[in-house]
Amino acid sequence: MPTHETVDQIRTLLETMPKERASLLPALWAVADEMGWIDEERTKAIAEVLNLPVADVFGVASFYALLPTEPARPVRVCDDVMCRLKGSDALIAELRREGIEALASPCLGRCDQAPAALIGKDPLVHADASNIRATVRGEG
Amino acid sequence: MREHRLLPHAESASAPASYARLVERGFERALQNAASLDPADIRRQVSEAGIMGRGGAAFPTGRKWDSVADAPGTPKYVVMNADESEPGTFKDRVLLEKDPFGALVGLIIAARAVGASHAYVYIRGEYQDVEAVVREAIQTLEERGYLGAHLSCEIRRGAGAYIAGEETALFNSIEGKRPEPRVKPPFPTVHGLFGRPTLIQNVETLANVAVLMAHDVAWFREQGTEKTPGTKLVALSGHIRRPGVYEVPFGVALKDLIYDPELGGGIPDGRALKAVLLGGAAGTFVTPEEVSEVQYDYGPLRQLGASIGSGAIMVFDETVPIQTVVRQLAHFFADESCGQCVPCRIGTRRLVELLSDDEAFSDHERLKDLGRAMQDASICGLGQTAPMALLSLMDRPTLLSTGRSAN
Ligand SMILES: Cc1cc2nc3c(=O)[nH]c(=O)nc-3n(C[C@H](O)[C@H](O)[C@H](O)COP(=O)(O)O)c2cc1C
Ligand code: SF4
Ligand code: FES
């Protein structure tokens, strides 16, 4: 069960949204944007506020790869066809060796500036270990 | 050879989402022109201009508009599909970044033409920088009264699911359900978003409507070919000197797209071209010989079994083993299959397994059988087209010869 505090916080966050199923994806994003990530407790709280079955909310939330589920901003590096031509698989390996948990992502739609990465919500093009490191560490 | 209909000239000084830009691009004129026309007249002009969908399937746009207009039931919806997740495709991003009004004005005109009162812009969550530009442009249109009580417009942000770009999956996503495709028919034109008649179009298709309405049918047809009037945005990537998005008339020589110094500029590092993958992950590989002969238009490409698809042009030089590329494509489809129908869920995984050794590429019968089963029995385009690129290699054995290794 989510705490009253969490439910209240999310109720306030979703105040202007119609309490219906169609608000689910915007609600998930609102929680991710404002609170940083969506964990199990927050997922349950969203279900409660929108009056939806918890299982449905989990089913939808888990379908999408981009919703952050942990406090750390995810570092995604494209390992799709065009970025691999520019060495993105080696880049991912290098980052992992350095302890940066790089997630492999399908095409990020920036193949013209490969390799492409996405740090949190921010795109990074012509990515390499040093500009990714700077972005990740620069924000503390 | 480079055109500037959909993409503004680089020297345009106005901010992309400003009112000045709306006027400068002729889009205010387009809106006023459309407002003075009967909805049926707008639809007739779209049909006469010969606009076809730019999201991949090239369905005649005017015909779709007529179906939505004729469908019973209210409210009706119009949706801009800006989910753009096809590997190698980034033209909608560049178009929305540089000129967000084209597609939005097209959406407003579409709403009038089919009688819709609600509009959605569905944009992939990886494009939040682009989303901000679109949001600003919507605000400008609201301030000028082009959007408002008569026509609401809401942005919906996707969240990382390739399949959500399929039109019926996209409706489910907006409705707060899992973005899994629906069985068609019924088609979206009669039973779409929230079960209502819905028009869904690609970003670039809508931008074409805006430039058409800023001019007229004769002007629109001055570019392109008789069968395919107008221009196309192509996304060039890979082993190419000048990767990026270019606007060209339909019918341009494919070799010019790759080699013209104003366009792709050729293959870098003194290497030779090995293959071009046209149209995205579900596209067709073509050989250097085919590249040097074919025109970039639906008819000529069809003769090669190829298509324009999303406008992706993925270039591979002689160092690339095409088997590796095909394996990555197979992984992509296996990862992105929503899993609700068996031929696709099992077929995409089976492809990954089969392709794990190079021998399998010569077992044409087995691959074709699997491909056929997926094409015939999958619910949506993902499963139906996942084997396409692989099958295109069956007719082009030279592409499977070992690549020269990079030094
Ligand atoms: C798996 C899959 C993914 C798709 N993704 C997109 C997409 O990202 N953008 C798009 O415009 N169309 C996409 N489509 C095509 C849409 O279903 C639909 O045909 C298109 O939005 C119609 O617009 P158009 O006629 O203007 O091309 C996809 C189709 C499939 C099967
Ligand atoms: S073909 Fe694949 S992606 Fe499409 S509905 Fe079936 S399982 Fe889902
Ligand atoms: S393949 Fe990496 S951004 Fe498209």
Side-chain angles (χ1 to χ4, degrees):
Chain A
M1 285 290 284
T3 63
H4 284 298
E5 200 189 345
T6 306
V7 175
D8 285 347
Q9 199 179 0
I10 287 180
R11 199 182 302 282
T12 313
L13 210 55
L14 308 184
E15 198 156 8
T16 58
M17 284 184 197
K19 303 297 174 288
E20 59 192 24
R21 185 177 287 268
S23 297
L24 180 51
L25 187 52
L28 289 164
W29 270 122
V31 172
D33 285 347
E34 297 301 321
M35 300 171 72
W37 74 98
I38 308 170
D39 57 17
E40 200 178 316
E41 190 200 11
R42 290 171 182 179
T43 309
K44 288 179 178 162
I46 292 171
E48 187 172 328
V49 172
L50 293 182
N51 280 320
L52 297 172
V54 173
D56 285 17
V57 176
F58 272 108
V60 170
S62 63
F63 199 102
Y64 295 106
L66 218 54
L67 297 169
T69 52
E70 290 172 20
R73 291 218 299 172
V75 176
R76 296 171 205 279
V77 177
C78 174
D79 80 332
D80 219 321
V81 181
M82 304 325 274
C83 286
R84 279 203 190 208
L85 291 184
K86 312 279 166 169
S88 66
D89 44 350
L91 173 58
I92 292 172
E94 183 179 352
L95 291 168
R96 286 181 183 160
R97 272 198 304 277
E98 287 186 24
I100 295 177
E101 195 198 324
L103 304 167
S105 167
C107 179
L108 290 168
R110 300 180 198 262
C111 336
D112 50 339
Q113 302 158 86
L118 194 66
I119 320 284
K121 65 178 173 55
D122 302 318
L124 183 68
V125 295
H126 299 301
D128 58 31
S130 77
N131 58 25
I132 289 182
R133 206 184 299 127
T135 314
V136 173
R137 306 226 165 117
E139 63 196 24
Chain B
M1 217 170 299
R2 282 180 77 172
E3 294 301 327
H4 288 281
R5 281 186 170 187
L6 306 175
L7 289 178
H9 286 278
E11 59 270 23
S12 172
S14 56
S18 64
Y19 175 64
R21 175 65 71 84
L22 187 76
V23 177
E24 180 193 311
R25 292 281 288 136
F27 293 145
E28 179 148 78
R29 182 171 78 237
L31 287 163
Q32 286 162 356
N33 181 19
S36 73
L37 290 171
D38 216 44
D41 283 334
I42 303 176
R43 300 199 301 273
R44 191 167 36 74
Q45 289 194 27
V46 169
S47 287
E48 285 174 3
I51 298 176
M52 291 182 289
R54 306 289 202 246
F59 189 84
T61 301
R63 214 192 297 163
K64 198 149 96 176
W65 290 27
D66 286 337
S67 315
V68 179
D70 293 343
T74 50
K76 291 179 182 177
Y77 297 94
V78 287
V79 181
M80 181 198 301
N81 189 343
D83 196 47
E84 188 163 71
S85 311
E86 186 69 32
T89 310
F90 43 91
K91 46 117 186 154
D92 294 338
R93 168 178 61 80
V94 169
L95 180 54
L96 287 175
E97 246 165 32
K98 293 203 168 151
D99 207 45
F101 284 125
L104 286 169
V105 165
L107 191 67
I108 294 171
I109 294 170
R112 173 167 170 77
V114 304
S117 52
H118 300 280
Y120 284 92
V121 175
Y122 191 99
I123 182 162
R124 71 181 300 200
E126 292 85 346
Y127 284 179
Q128 289 183 47
D129 51 337
V130 185
E131 181 193 313
V133 181
V134 173
R135 200 172 289 283
E136 204 186 319
I138 289 175
Q139 212 169 359
T140 304
L141 290 164
E142 282 170 349
E143 281 160 16
R144 297 281 154 178
Y146 294 113
L147 289 168
H150 65 295
L151 177 62
S152 68
C153 184
E154 197 182 318
I155 293 182
R156 279 303 170 101
R157 183 191 299 162
Y162 168 70
I163 193 59
E166 195 280 337
E167 51 196 12
T168 59
L170 189 151
F171 301 152
N172 281 341
S173 177
I174 294 178
E175 291 179 21
K177 301 172 185 159
R178 288 162 70 88
E180 289 165 345
R182 306 172 182 170
V183 178
K184 289 187 269 190
F187 291 101
T189 50
V190 293
H191 192 93
L193 185 57
F194 301 111
R196 306 286 170 201
T198 303
L199 179 73
I200 177 163
Q201 305 279 186
N202 173 257
V203 172
E204 185 187 350
T205 314
L206 292 169
N208 271 287
V209 170
V211 299
L212 164 66
M213 283 291 138
H215 301 83
D216 57 31
V217 171
W219 174 87
F220 190 89
R221 298 186 69 103
E222 278 168 18
Q223 291 284 342
T225 61
E226 179 56 31
K227 288 225 168 80
T228 321
T231 57
K232 180 78 192 92
L233 298 180
V234 298
L236 277 172
S237 66
H239 292 135
I240 188 92
R241 279 215 177 83
R242 291 158 45 86
V245 173
Y246 300 95
E247 181 173 2
V248 292
F250 282 104
V252 68
L254 181 53
K255 70 168 183 311
D256 288 340
L257 271 172
I258 310 268
Y259 292 103
D260 189 286
E262 292 244 296
L263 300 168
I267 317 300
D269 304 323
R271 294 198 179 134
L273 176 65
K274 170 112 171 216
V276 173
L277 178 54
L278 286 178
T284 306
F285 285 101
V286 293
T287 64
E289 293 69 38
E290 290 170 322
V291 167
S292 66
E293 286 162 9
V294 77
Q295 282 182 310
Y296 196 69
D297 192 3
Y298 295 98
L301 285 171
R302 196 173 305 122
Q303 304 214 318
L304 303 180
S307 190
I308 284 174
S310 62
I313 299 183
M314 300 145 92
V315 183
F316 303 96
D317 75 16
E318 58 186 327
T319 63
V320 181
I322 299 299
Q323 288 89 335
T324 312
V325 177
V326 174
R327 268 183 209 119
Q328 285 161 13
L329 297 175
H331 271 287
F332 172 79
F333 287 117
D335 286 347
E336 299 298 328
S337 165
C338 81
Q340 69 169 332
C341 61
V342 175
C344 170
R345 185 178 66 229
I346 307 292
T348 51
R349 286 188 205 151
R350 190 85 191 95
L351 275 180
V352 171
E353 287 164 19
L354 273 179
L355 298 181
S356 61
D357 76 290
D358 276 4
E359 293 291 293
F361 283 89
S362 50
D363 196 347
H364 291 194
E365 282 319 306
R366 196 156 157 198
L367 293 174
K368 282 184 185 166
D369 281 348
L370 178 57
R372 218 169 289 129
M374 293 175 69
Q375 276 165 343
D376 292 347
S378 297
I379 289 183
C380 87
L382 188 150
Q384 288 158 6
T385 61
M388 284 275 287
L390 170 66
L391 294 179
S392 73
L393 291 176
M394 306 287 103
D395 311 321
R396 296 171 176 86
T398 54
L399 297 186
L400 289 171
S401 62
T402 323
R404 207 185 79 181
S405 60
N407 34 37

